[in-house]
Amino acid sequence: MTCPIDHTGSTAIALDPFVADLDAESAALRAAGPLVRVVLPGGVACYAVTHHAEARKLLTDPRIVKDINVWGAWQRGEIPLDWPLIGLVNPGRSMLTVDGDEHRRLRTLVAQALTVRRVETLRAGIEALTTDMLDRLAEVPAGETVDLKARFAYPLPMNVISALMGVDAADHPRMKELFEKFFSTQTLPEEVPQMMADLGALFGRIVESKRENPGDDLTSALIAASEDGDRLTTEEITNTLQLMVAAGHETTISLIVNAVVALETHPEQRALVLKGEASWEDVIEETLRWSTPTSHVLIRFAAEDVEVGDAILAKGEGLVVSFGAIGRDEAQHGESAGSFDITRTPNRHISFGHGPHVCPGAALSRLEAAVALPALYARFPELTLAVAREELRNKPIVTQNDLFDLPVTLTARA
């Protein structure tokens, strides 16, 4: 799991591009200290913060910025434009890649659209969509294996975020194809430039369509704001749309899938929630902590030297936030941090981030899971994994704690 670092002579933990054992990798990162030298798939070296307290400090430190031009390796021309992870590190100008006043300007409209109160108004639509999908699942013959991710955990958040942003369902297949390449560590370098261009063209076309035919959606609101003098550029609107759709469905897919896997591999915890001795909110928060949907977030950059515990993150270095390691930090969550326990209290995690770049869609993701999970188990209380836990396959995505599929068998309540 370790390999030499070319220009420092020290050692680093190489993040597995195939994500064969995320739990073991996270444990190794955590054990190595709060600031760890890592090598990303493709050979790009940077640092990772792996402990809760240090992550909270760094995520609110103004010296840690999102401007890629601060990155020494980028300045020196060491990061190839066909690196498979380039889209995650340099996705174009949006609220994800700027700081300070510019970040607040770009984030304000999205934040206004995704307040807890406004998100709650989406509940009825999410409930109706969930019921429809469960009705279709109930048509599967008893005992037959079904991919719960493909039939439920994927289409629910994709349809919700698409409705919010004004994306037509006809674009979903192409979007899925492109996002598979965008997130994967296995995308061939020669495919990367075309994939990035195709994503830009797809979302650019959606923005232009909304400019011509605005609707009651967030993309139309962003366009209207730009025309009213907020100075949002077409690039900013397009990149914000792509960011919201990508993050808005991937995180919730993983949250739903990981919650089901955790409950099915911890029957005593499943029994507690099904008997009403713990809440579905407890399940969601413990899943976010113990099997966080986002394993690593790429990349922030040190604009100055920054102390991290006994170490120094030097000016110009890149910083990965390793939420998979952070979620099981014993200094924050006690000796039982490695256990899935829905009765855990308090359960103060930072799995949706912390500070100015905290995920604006956190409330929506929680709401979708809060509707989907109890409805799923109310309809199929005898749901079981169709394969052993060790047979579930992680997708080769360094940023997401995601599975290829989730085979289960369903038995509907009479």
Side-chain angles (χ1 to χ4, degrees):
M1 186 174 287
T2 61
C3 68
I5 299 256
D6 51 355
H7 63 279
T8 68
S10 62
T11 59
I13 293 178
L15 303 187
D16 179 8
F18 297 102
V19 196
D21 191 342
L22 180 60
D23 286 350
E25 180 176 273
S26 295
L29 288 168
R30 199 165 47 250
L35 187 68
V36 183
R37 192 74 169 167
V38 297
V39 178
L40 296 169
V44 173
C46 56
Y47 285 86
V49 59
T50 66
H51 291 188
H52 181 100
E54 287 78 6
R56 282 178 59 93
K57 291 179 182 178
L58 289 172
L59 289 171
T60 55
D61 192 319
R63 297 171 295 177
I64 303 299
V65 301
K66 300 300 290 287
D67 182 0
I68 195 171
N69 295 301
V70 171
W71 193 13
W74 182 260
Q75 295 172 350
R76 295 188 296 269
E78 297 171 3
I79 309 301
L81 295 180
D82 61 359
W83 180 35
L85 302 182
I86 190 67
L88 292 163
V89 175
N90 188 31
R93 183 178 176 80
S94 73
M95 62 183 179
L96 182 68
T97 58
V98 295
D99 300 284
D101 290 342
E102 285 299 284
H103 173 256
R104 284 187 287 274
R105 178 179 73 87
L106 292 170
R107 185 181 171 102
T108 296
L109 291 168
V110 174
Q112 289 173 348
L114 291 176
T115 62
V116 173
R117 179 175 295 179
R118 290 195 65 178
V119 164
E120 187 62 30
T121 66
L122 301 173
R123 179 182 290 272
I126 295 171
E127 289 174 343
L129 185 59
T130 298
T131 298
D132 180 63
M133 291 182 177
L134 292 177
D135 287 345
R136 297 182 187 184
L137 282 175
E139 296 172 359
V140 175
E144 184 174 307
T145 297
V146 62
D147 180 359
L148 192 65
K149 179 181 176 182
R151 298 283 297 273
F152 184 67
Y154 172 82
L156 176 62
M158 177 54 90
N159 278 282
V160 170
I161 197 64
S162 293
L164 182 67
M165 301 303 298
V167 174
D168 196 288
D171 288 317
H172 289 181
R174 179 60 172 156
M175 205 172 290
K176 185 176 187 296
E177 176 187 357
L178 290 172
F179 277 138
E180 289 279 353
K181 291 184 177 182
F182 179 82
F183 285 105
S184 177
T185 62
Q186 302 305 299
T187 300
L188 297 175
E190 57 267 28
E191 295 179 350
V192 171
Q194 188 62 54
M195 175 268 293
M196 293 295 292
D198 289 347
L199 271 171
L202 173 61
F203 284 99
R205 175 177 58 76
I206 295 170
V207 169
E208 287 310 306
S209 174
K210 286 296 171 182
R211 198 183 298 277
E212 295 173 4
N213 298 288
D216 184 19
D217 55 73
L218 184 51
T219 302
S220 297
L222 291 171
I223 294 169
S226 70
E227 294 172 347
D228 289 342
D230 197 72
R231 304 189 317 280
L232 289 174
T233 67
T234 297
E235 178 192 15
E236 290 168 341
I237 296 168
T238 302
N239 291 339
T240 298
L241 170 61
Q242 180 176 324
L243 166 66
M244 292 299 296
V245 173
H249 80 281
E250 283 288 344
T251 299
T252 309
I253 293 168
S254 296
L255 174 54
I256 294 171
V257 166
N258 295 348
V260 171
V261 173
L263 290 174
E264 294 310 305
T265 53
H266 296 80
E268 75 290 350
Q269 301 294 308
R270 169 182 160 145
L272 287 175
V273 70
L274 292 186
K275 290 189 293 185
E277 296 176 10
S279 71
W280 284 103
E281 179 183 356
D282 295 332
V283 172
I284 290 166
E285 295 308 313
E286 182 66 348
T287 301
L288 287 168
R289 181 200 70 83
W290 184 78
S291 188
T292 180
T294 305
S295 45
H296 305 282
V297 169
L298 314 182
I299 300 177
R300 287 166 167 82
F301 313 100
E304 302 176 22
D305 288 357
V306 179
E307 292 185 6
V308 185
D310 296 329
I312 297 290
L313 180 66
K315 178 181 178 179
E317 290 288 356
L319 180 72
V320 171
V321 183
S322 293
F323 287 110
I326 292 165
R328 300 190 190 184
D329 183 2
E330 291 189 1
Q332 171 66 17
H333 301 289
E335 294 182 359
S336 66
S339 300
F340 179 73
D341 179 7
I342 63 176
T343 67
R344 184 181 305 278
T345 184
N347 192 355
R348 299 191 181 98
H349 60 79
I350 56 170
S351 294
F352 278 118
H354 181 66
H357 285 278
V358 66
C359 176
L364 179 58
S365 186
R366 284 183 165 106
L367 173 59
E368 290 177 67
V371 171
L373 290 168
L376 174 67
Y377 277 93
R379 184 73 67 92
F380 304 110
E382 303 304 320
L383 180 154
T384 57
L385 293 180
V387 298
R389 173 64 184 91
E390 55 270 21
E391 294 180 44
L392 296 174
R393 303 170 300 151
N394 291 332
K395 295 186 74 173
I397 301 177
V398 74
T399 56
Q400 296 297 123
N401 180 10
D402 196 9
L403 299 175
F404 276 104
D405 51 17
L406 182 59
V408 301
T409 56
L410 305 170
T411 302
R413 175 170 291 174

